[in-house]
Amino acid sequence: MTAFFTAILFFSSIKAGEWTSLLNSNRIYDIAPSDEGAWCATNGGVHFFSLEDSSFTLSFRNTDGLPHNTSRAIAITQTGELWAGTDLGLALIVPSSGAARRYQGISDTVFSLALSGDTLAVVTKTGIYIIRTMNTPGSFEDDDVFFFTPENSQEYSIRKAAWFMGDLWMATSIGLLRYYLNGDSTQWYAISKGLPSSDVADVCIEESMVALCSKGFARYDADSGFFKTVYAFQDPLPQFTSIAEAGDTFYVSTLGISGTYKSLFRYVESLDTLDTIGFWINASAGTAPHWMRTISCVRTDASGRVWAGASGEFAGDGLVVWDVKKNRVKVVDNPGLNSNYIFHALLDDNQNLWTAHWFAYNERGVTRYHDGHWENFIYRAYTENDTVDFDASTKITAVDSKGRVVFGGWWGGRGVTRFDPVAGAWEEHSWGASPVSNRVSWLAVDPLDRIWVSIFYSNQLRVLSDDLEEIAVLDWPYDYVWDLKFDSSTLWAATSAGLISYKPQDFVSDLEHGEFSERLLTNSKVTGIALDGRGGCWGATNEGVFHWTQNSTTRYNQNNLSMMENDIVDVDRDPWGRLYFLMKHKGLLVHDPAGAAYDTSAGLWQIFTTSNSSIMPGFDYTTLSADRTGRVAIGTAGGGVSLFTMPKYTDTTSEKISVYPNPCYASLGLPVRFTPLDDAQSVVIYTLAGERVAEIPSSGFRTIQGVKQAELGVQNLSAGLYIAVVRFAARSERVKFVILK
């Protein structure tokens, strides 16, 4: 029997704790040097590197007001504020306040910013905004804004913009575009105007303007209106990314050139000499020492320092600070995740967050986060294991009753590895030397600390004892395994075929003989499951959520739960019975079947999205983990991890708050009164069915003889039992009352 349930929805019941965004911030898109250091626009927010502290000392992320954590462009105002262009629009950072303000009306990806006095040019995917801030950047209301789209702009990409000679110059994939601000007209510069080639990657402005192209860089001559080549590249292979000038020396960054990872050109014009420079990374972010792989941007400051930022897809090598005069180089990484691409997240019982990653150059890795401290492990598929004696190419993690963390390998041919955080010891079990035999698609730990392992496309489940010895091999007649859970005697599996259970004849001593049951076969794969504690099972699919019991199956989807997205990628359950469903695009859906964690006696649904919370914006959600303390971790496909804490459940039936008259006769016309309400924020009234009847905010309280109270008119209410929830800053209390006619 399948049931379809129409839910009563409440949108303001849950009060989550503070949100934290955990990120890799070592892929640097832009750098803005200052006297004290440099601001960096990164894949993990905007950060300030202090020369005095020789470290990153300020950070701004979505939890601080940024629209998105990928920031591709920054510009410092004359009064010390910072404009930040992100993948979801523009923001103004005020460092002294520790907050960022979103600029309304711009929500596209911002690729470049150009600031001249009080005029800001914002290059987005759809066009260019020109904002005149009237020398009051912190006051958006008086800004003069206009928008224009260059002709045929869909045929090329704008890579960088800069102000020069009062006009806006834009480096594009087909030439250099000049926009005459006063005349509202444009002019193109390409090979016919002296550029070495038509594809322009960057421009730098010092005393003159220099344009960087794929075949060299050239200086603009205002008298002739033409460019003159400064240097023509001989090597056609490098992909040049940016250019900076200091005196008669030019620095050009690349995404890889001929030679051994030397990714920076230096050209001295007065000597007509060119050399290539590489930067050695000494164990940055937990990796083995290596050359900085690619550089996305290079800048110089007034003291002649060179600042270079690493490139990468979901990670990078950090920031280079090169004091050329003293010939001192410092490479700094910002502590954080190995990568922002999260395959799997696990909150263990020792307050650790473990994340399994993927990032560029065939590398995978694991990050361990505990109370602000980071430990990173990296595995390189085709070279060597960099940092630890285990397979950090893992995609899967699990934890046993002793707090030991179990990893399933992917590339390294090492099968299963287990880490004991207390002893600091590593153990492993592998099935031969072949990586194919040790590629784990999923694993889980049962109540006896045995490890059940699904080998990728092997049609088998293998079981390891607490001593990591193989004790059982089960033929697996079903498709790919996406999740495994256990009750006291049964294995439950989320598979591409549906919900499957396996009950051994003896769960302690005979695992290889037992019965498979096809509990629910679906047209779509089941990506995650959570046992309900009463013999049933909740499941996540790309067609919504199901709750299977012995008697029926109830389904929830967009048809009967409007806030839901059908594509559910993961599910978890906390000790208080709350269920967490991770939607691929919209965010987190929370269901409390008993109402215990909220403030009524009825089951409730609640949604967390970017519009009502600080959940990570702009990326698909991939993985979910809830622990025994109320912490919830949400992983993304490129955006890192959102971490927050749900309130613990305590019995909130109040013995301090009185309700009178109780029962209350509606026919008498008297209100119900609640008192005392000192320090209370509101009183919310519900029926037993969970229907929200009324809310009395603190502004509606009355003070009688020095005691605050609230009154509820009952003339229009039906007879029955009601629940009043009195909310305080850190708790809620409940009282029951009866209305009679």
Side-chain angles (χ1 to χ4, degrees):
M1 175 181 177
T2 299
F4 290 88
F5 176 74
T6 300
I8 298 173
L9 310 179
F10 298 94
F11 290 89
S12 59
S13 300
I14 302 176
K15 301 294 182 183
E18 181 179 355
W19 290 76
T20 302
S21 291
L22 306 177
L23 295 148
N24 176 286
S25 304
N26 291 312
R27 197 280 190 227
I28 299 175
Y29 292 93
D30 196 9
I31 302 172
S34 68
D35 293 338
E36 295 80 22
W39 288 96
C40 298
T42 79
N43 60 332
V46 176
H47 305 268
F48 180 74
F49 178 83
S50 167
L51 287 168
E52 180 180 357
D53 297 290
S54 194
S55 63
F56 289 96
T57 56
L58 290 174
S59 297
F60 293 87
R61 304 180 178 91
N62 69 300
T63 50
D64 304 301
L66 286 184
H68 194 283
N69 287 314
T70 300
S71 176
R72 301 178 185 271
I74 47 179
I76 303 175
T77 71
Q78 295 174 338
T79 50
E81 297 90 355
L82 189 75
W83 290 104
T86 79
D87 278 9
L88 284 175
L90 180 68
L92 181 70
I93 295 173
V94 183
S96 59
S97 71
R101 290 179 58 201
R102 183 168 189 165
Y103 198 92
Q104 299 300 320
I106 301 178
S107 57
D108 288 337
T109 297
V110 177
F111 294 107
S112 181
L113 297 175
L115 182 62
S116 177
D118 69 344
T119 303
L120 177 70
V122 184
V123 178
T124 74
K125 185 167 55 177
T126 56
I128 294 96
Y129 295 84
I130 305 294
I131 303 173
R132 290 190 176 95
T133 65
M134 308 303 177
N135 292 312
T136 56
S139 177
F140 299 160
E141 293 76 14
D142 62 352
D143 290 353
D144 179 19
V145 182
F146 74 94
F147 174 81
F148 74 95
T149 302
E151 186 177 0
N152 300 322
S153 60
Q154 69 278 4
E155 298 177 3
Y156 55 87
S157 59
I158 300 176
R159 297 162 173 170
K160 184 67 183 294
W163 293 102
F164 182 63
M165 299 177 61
D167 302 323
L168 184 65
W169 299 70
M170 289 164 279
T172 82
S173 55
I174 61 171
L176 190 63
L177 178 61
R178 182 178 186 178
Y179 175 71
Y180 294 92
L181 185 62
N182 294 329
D184 192 25
S185 60
T186 59
Q187 180 181 0
W188 281 99
Y189 293 79
I191 296 175
S192 61
K193 288 287 187 177
L195 289 176
S197 56
S198 294
D199 50 338
V200 184
D202 194 14
V203 292
C204 70
I205 310 295
E206 293 297 336
E207 294 182 0
S208 60
M209 180 177 64
V210 175
L212 172 66
C213 307
S214 63
K215 294 185 178 180
F217 49 95
R219 181 181 289 113
Y220 181 69
D221 180 67
D223 294 333
S224 65
F226 281 75
F227 282 85
K228 296 182 179 180
T229 297
V230 177
Y231 186 83
F233 297 123
Q234 305 302 313
D235 189 343
L237 294 178
Q239 181 181 344
F240 300 106
T241 55
S242 68
I243 186 169
E245 182 179 0
D248 69 339
T249 303
F250 293 90
Y251 300 91
V252 179
S253 62
T254 76
L255 294 182
I257 67 171
S258 301
T260 309
Y261 293 106
K262 293 186 176 181
S263 47
L264 188 70
F265 279 109
R266 176 173 59 182
Y267 175 71
V268 182
E269 188 173 15
S270 61
L271 302 176
D272 191 25
T273 59
L274 178 76
D275 60 345
T276 56
I277 299 165
F279 299 104
W280 186 250
I281 311 298
N282 188 15
S284 169
T287 67
H290 62 278
W291 292 102
M292 178 173 280
R293 296 167 291 207
T294 56
I295 298 178
S296 58
C297 65
V298 61
R299 302 288 183 264
T300 56
D301 63 20
S303 299
R305 295 184 192 88
V306 175
W307 301 80
S311 183
E313 188 171 2
F314 303 112
D317 284 324
L319 177 68
V320 173
V321 187
W322 179 17
D323 190 328
V324 179
K325 296 178 181 178
K326 298 179 180 178
N327 196 26
R328 294 178 181 174
V329 176
K330 184 177 181 64
V331 181
V332 187
D333 72 297
N334 204 354
L337 296 171
N338 261 336
S339 164
N340 282 334
Y341 198 108
I342 312 298
F343 266 131
H344 193 71
L346 170 73
L347 290 164
D348 69 18
D349 293 335
N350 294 302
Q351 297 293 303
N352 294 303
L353 169 65
W354 297 86
T355 53
H357 307 285
W358 177 88
F359 49 105
Y361 302 98
N362 297 306
E363 296 177 359
R364 297 175 187 268
V366 171
T367 298
R368 178 188 183 189
Y369 173 77
H370 179 86
D371 193 25
H373 300 285
W374 301 89
E375 189 173 8
N376 295 300
F377 313 103
I378 286 183
Y379 172 78
R380 293 187 173 182
Y382 301 118
T383 54
E384 75 283 341
N385 192 322
D386 276 351
T387 56
V388 291
D389 191 22
F390 84 108
D391 186 352
S393 69
T394 181
K395 289 177 64 178
I396 306 301
T397 50
V399 64
D400 67 14
S401 65
K402 300 179 179 66
R404 296 173 297 187
V405 183
V406 183
F407 303 90
W410 188 252
W411 285 113
R414 307 182 77 157
V416 174
T417 309
R418 187 172 63 193
F419 174 61
D420 186 339
V422 177
W426 297 90
E427 305 170 275
E428 73 172 58
H429 179 96
S430 62
W431 290 272
S434 169
V436 175
S437 302
N438 292 282
R439 192 162 294 171
V440 177
S441 64
W442 201 264
L443 58 75
V445 180
D446 71 16
L448 301 179
D449 285 342
R450 298 171 303 193
I451 304 167
W452 296 61
V453 184
S454 172
I455 303 296
F456 187 67
Y457 284 135
S458 69
N459 295 319
Q460 288 181 329
L461 283 182
R462 297 175 177 269
V463 186
L464 304 180
S465 69
D466 183 52
D467 298 324
L468 295 187
E469 297 295 331
E470 186 170 273
I471 57 175
V473 178
L474 284 70
D475 290 331
W476 184 253
Y478 301 99
D479 210 338
Y480 194 88
V481 175
W482 295 94
D483 197 2
L484 296 171
K485 293 292 192 299
F486 300 90
D487 59 25
S488 59
S489 61
T490 305
L491 166 72
W492 297 80
T495 76
S496 295
L499 175 65
I500 309 298
S501 69
Y502 174 71
K503 186 176 180 63
Q505 288 186 1
D506 189 318
F507 193 73
V508 176
S509 60
D510 185 4
L511 300 179
E512 293 186 340
H513 299 91
E515 180 182 0
F516 286 97
S517 297
E518 298 173 351
R519 300 296 187 177
L520 181 65
L521 298 182
T522 63
N523 295 324
S524 58
K525 65 185 179 185
V526 180
T527 54
I529 53 176
L531 304 183
D532 66 8
R534 301 185 300 274
C537 183
W538 290 84
T541 78
N542 61 7
E543 295 181 348
V545 170
F546 66 81
H547 183 208
W548 175 90
T549 68
Q550 291 284 354
N551 300 320
S552 65
T553 299
T554 304
R555 298 180 184 273
Y556 303 87
N557 53 44
Q558 290 174 335
N559 294 328
N560 56 14
L561 198 60
S562 60
M563 68 170 72
M564 178 181 283
E565 168 194 339
N566 282 349
D567 199 348
I568 312 295
V569 296
D570 207 354
V571 58
D572 206 349
R573 180 174 177 264
D574 70 16
W576 300 280
R578 289 177 292 207
L579 288 151
Y580 303 87
F581 299 99
L582 186 61
M583 298 176 286
K584 185 175 183 179
H585 306 291
K586 290 184 68 173
L588 183 66
L589 192 65
V590 184
H591 179 47
D592 181 7
Y598 303 95
D599 50 21
T600 85
S601 61
L604 296 176
W605 293 85
Q606 177 75 29
I607 189 171
F608 288 117
T609 68
T610 55
S611 62
N612 67 0
S613 73
S614 293
I615 193 172
M616 203 71 71
F619 294 92
D620 288 350
Y621 302 106
T622 57
T623 181
L624 170 71
S625 181
D627 71 5
R628 298 179 184 179
T629 67
R631 291 192 308 162
V632 180
I634 299 169
T636 69
V641 176
S642 285
L643 183 66
F644 71 102
T645 302
M646 293 288 287
K648 296 180 181 179
Y649 168 63
T650 56
D651 186 358
T652 58
T653 301
S654 178
E655 297 179 356
K656 300 178 181 179
I657 296 174
S658 299
V659 52
Y660 66 93
N662 189 13
C664 177
Y665 289 88
S667 59
L668 297 179
L670 297 175
V672 173
R673 294 182 173 89
F674 307 93
T675 188
L677 298 180
D678 297 323
D679 299 323
Q681 296 179 337
S682 65
V683 178
V684 186
I685 313 301
Y686 296 96
T687 68
L688 279 184
E691 180 184 359
R692 187 187 183 109
V693 174
E695 178 172 357
I696 308 170
S698 59
S699 59
F701 295 172
R702 300 177 61 188
T703 301
I704 299 177
Q705 295 182 347
V707 179
K708 287 187 177 180
Q709 67 176 28
E711 294 184 354
L712 173 70
V714 299
Q715 292 89 341
N716 297 323
L717 296 182
S718 301
L721 180 63
Y722 291 81
I723 296 174
V725 179
V726 182
R727 291 180 177 150
F728 297 84
R731 72 185 194 282
S732 294
E733 297 185 11
R734 295 187 292 180
V735 290
K736 299 177 182 179
F737 63 98
V738 176
I739 296 177
L740 300 175
K741 289 298 184 182

